[in-house]
Amino acid sequence: MKHCGKMILLLIMFCSGMYASAQDSLLTIQDAIRMSIEKNFDVTISRNEKELGTITNSWAMAGALPRVSATATKTFGASNLKQKLNNGTVIEKDRSTSQSFAAGVAVNWRVFDGFKMFATKRRLEALERMGEFNFRKTLNETVYDVITAYYNIVTLKEQLQATNEQISLYNERLKLSQAKLDIGTGAKYEVLEAEVDLNEQKSNLLTLQNAIAVAKTSLSNLIGGNLDTDFNITDTILVQPLPSLTDVRSKIEQQNPDILAANTNLTVLMETKKEINADRLPSLTLNGFYNFNKNSSSAGFNLFNQTYGPSGSIGLSVPLFQGIIVKKQLQVADIDIRNQQLRIEKAKKDIHTALTNAYINYSSALKTIELEKSNLKLASENIMIATERYRKLNITAVELRQVQISYNATKFRLYNALNQAKAAEAMVALLSGDIENL
């Protein structure tokens, strides 16, 4: 008895460890969303691209700041010299050496360019916002993919459980058919048909196991996890009520990243047009210099010369004719703006159509869920009655088989409806921009 108590204690500890391990490997939908935000490659790349927009949005990139440069040059020379001056003096010298040194600092600042720098700065600000909207779009779509992939696995697991239950029912039918055949009240075809149906369910089981493994790999890739690490997920789908259609439509205008990005892209195109038009206007440039020059020679009229000091200039450029290039560029810009306005309207229509369809699918799924839950209760009771009647030879194997098929089909319809409702719920959250909070 003492040894038996130790064995029971060890068994309890082992089972507790197994349970803890199973709990540790449980991946909730919240964990999957968090991991995808942190580790998904597309999200990380989009986050980096958003940072590029922040870096480039500056007055320096807009061309508003002056440019300062420094130069220095040292020159050496050796030449044969022959000079005849107007007073009759003749100077001849072979291998005359000379040196020169020049250094300077130059400042170039375009203080007016037809307001182009201001349009460029506004365009860079719009591009920065677009980077933020594109990042949110990538993030939202990734979270949506994670949610649908997660609940697809849940649905497959429920179908796997239903198939295992169906295998148990078919095993029972096979045993009853064999028992009836053994006592001479059954037929061989009933046993064979039961075996065929049982093998079909076993084949379905293998297919579902394979589908779950593939779906887990896809989900692992989305969340940036280790593809060689297995994990467990929850086995229920909880459908949440949807907000009102009016509230969601209001949120779409304010939060949907596709619409926000499309509107921002229109701003970019309009500022680009202003940049092009600036090439028609005069530009004013201020130039400042500080130069130092020193020259020395061993022969010649000037043996030494040195100059240094500041200087400056103002440059005005007035475009007179540019080969009508600017005119053509402005025409192209106008077409781009009109097309972008059409894209915005199309995006709004597409999004509102998708939203309406999501609400239709959600409503249909809820009705199907309620109906199939009721059907499942009836099918469960019916299959118990049919099995008992078959055992008492009151119905045929064909009738029992049909009851079993109907029971299995009811379960599958219920799980698919739950998955459809969850997918519609995720789509509404995606379109409204609230999917991170789902």
Side-chain angles (χ1 to χ4, degrees):
M1 290 294 292
K2 184 177 181 180
H3 293 294
C4 182
K6 288 183 178 180
M7 290 295 294
I8 293 174
L9 179 61
L10 288 172
L11 182 61
I12 293 173
M13 292 175 63
F14 176 75
C15 292
S16 299
M18 291 292 289
Y19 176 76
S21 176
Q23 288 295 102
D24 290 341
S25 62
L26 178 67
L27 179 70
T28 65
I29 184 61
Q30 290 78 15
D31 292 334
I33 291 174
R34 176 183 53 79
M35 292 175 66
S36 68
I37 294 174
E38 294 174 356
K39 299 180 180 180
N40 181 272
F41 289 109
D42 290 333
V43 173
T44 303
I45 292 171
S46 183
R47 185 182 290 114
N48 293 338
E49 290 175 347
K50 182 187 72 168
E51 292 181 8
L52 290 177
T54 303
I55 293 171
T56 56
N57 179 21
S58 66
W59 282 107
M61 296 297 290
L65 301 184
R67 295 185 179 184
V68 181
S69 60
T71 60
T73 305
K74 179 72 173 178
T75 305
F76 300 91
S79 58
N80 297 326
L81 177 66
K82 183 177 181 178
Q83 289 182 333
K84 186 175 181 179
L85 306 182
N86 57 7
N87 60 5
T89 303
V90 177
I91 301 173
E92 293 188 25
K93 188 174 182 179
D94 294 336
R95 293 185 295 278
S96 171
T97 61
S98 63
Q99 298 184 46
S100 66
F101 175 75
V105 177
V107 179
N108 178 274
W109 189 9
R110 180 170 290 183
V111 294
F112 180 76
D113 59 356
F115 305 106
K116 184 175 184 179
M117 64 182 72
F118 299 101
T120 302
K121 183 63 169 65
R122 290 192 296 268
R123 178 174 59 84
L124 293 175
E125 291 171 354
L127 288 173
E128 182 181 4
R129 293 195 302 272
M130 187 178 293
E132 172 66 28
F133 298 144
N134 288 334
F135 168 69
R136 285 170 54 185
K137 172 183 170 64
T138 301
L139 182 63
N140 289 351
E141 289 178 349
T142 300
V143 172
Y144 173 79
D145 291 341
V146 168
I147 292 173
T148 54
Y150 187 93
Y151 286 107
N152 179 52
I153 298 175
V154 175
T155 302
L156 290 172
K157 284 185 63 179
E158 293 288 354
Q159 292 175 348
L160 183 72
Q161 181 180 351
T163 302
N164 277 321
E165 184 179 348
Q166 197 74 355
I167 288 174
S168 298
L169 293 174
Y170 281 20
N171 264 321
E172 179 66 18
R173 184 175 126 214
L174 177 61
K175 291 178 182 178
L176 292 175
S177 298
Q178 185 64 50
K180 289 174 62 178
L181 178 64
D182 292 341
I183 63 175
T185 58
K188 180 66 175 178
Y189 80 89
E190 292 182 352
V191 176
L192 297 177
E193 187 176 44
E195 288 181 349
V196 169
D197 289 342
L198 177 60
N199 289 335
E200 181 184 1
Q201 291 303 314
K202 289 180 178 179
S203 178
N204 292 339
L205 184 68
L206 293 175
T207 301
L208 286 169
Q209 288 172 340
N210 179 77
I212 290 173
V214 172
K216 281 188 173 183
T217 301
S218 299
L219 177 59
S220 180
N221 183 48
L222 284 172
I223 63 178
N226 187 348
L227 299 179
D228 297 328
T229 303
D230 195 11
F231 54 85
N232 294 320
I233 63 172
T234 56
D235 54 2
T236 55
I237 299 179
L238 300 177
V239 179
Q240 304 296 332
L242 293 182
S244 69
L245 188 58
T246 303
D247 291 342
V248 175
R249 283 175 175 166
S250 176
K251 282 187 175 181
I252 284 176
E253 295 294 329
Q254 302 172 7
Q255 298 181 177
N256 183 274
D258 287 316
I259 292 180
L260 294 175
N263 287 327
T264 306
N265 193 41
L266 178 61
T267 302
V268 170
L269 293 174
M270 295 177 70
E271 296 301 333
T272 301
K273 180 182 176 181
K274 293 178 182 178
E275 290 179 87
I276 296 171
N277 192 62
D279 292 335
R280 287 177 161 182
L281 303 178
S283 63
L284 182 67
T285 305
L286 299 180
N287 301 297
F289 308 95
Y290 189 93
N291 293 319
F292 176 86
N293 293 281
K294 179 180 178 181
N295 298 284
S296 62
S297 176
S298 61
F301 186 76
N302 291 321
L303 299 180
F304 181 82
N305 183 44
Q306 178 176 295
T307 61
Y308 59 89
S311 62
S313 65
I314 298 177
L316 177 64
S317 175
V318 180
L320 299 178
F321 180 71
Q322 298 172 313
I324 67 171
I325 294 176
V326 174
K327 179 180 179 181
K328 295 297 182 183
Q329 290 175 334
L330 289 173
Q331 290 175 346
V332 171
D334 286 334
I335 294 175
D336 287 338
I337 289 173
R338 289 199 299 270
N339 282 341
Q340 185 60 29
Q341 290 170 338
L342 293 174
R343 291 189 188 99
I344 292 173
E345 293 303 315
K346 182 179 183 300
K348 289 180 178 180
K349 280 185 172 293
D350 290 345
I351 289 171
H352 286 291
T353 299
L355 179 66
T356 302
N357 290 339
Y359 270 84
I360 292 172
N361 290 334
Y362 181 84
S363 177
S364 175
L366 288 186
K367 293 176 182 178
T368 303
I369 289 169
E370 292 303 315
L371 177 62
E372 296 304 337
K373 281 182 178 180
S374 176
N375 285 342
L376 187 60
K377 291 181 181 179
L378 298 175
S380 298
E381 184 178 357
N382 192 28
I383 202 167
M384 293 175 60
I385 295 173
T387 303
E388 187 61 29
R389 291 186 65 192
Y390 181 71
R391 182 180 287 109
K392 294 180 179 180
L393 308 180
N394 291 330
I395 61 173
T396 64
V398 174
E399 292 173 308
L400 176 60
R401 178 177 183 270
Q402 188 57 46
V403 170
Q404 291 175 333
I405 292 174
S406 177
Y407 174 76
N408 196 46
T410 301
K411 274 201 164 186
F412 272 62
R413 288 195 300 270
L414 174 60
Y415 302 145
N416 288 332
L418 286 167
N419 192 29
Q420 177 184 328
K422 201 64 183 179
E425 179 187 330
M427 177 58 70
V428 171
L430 172 66
L431 296 175
S432 64
D434 280 338
I435 195 163
E436 293 179 63
N437 303 321
L438 191 62

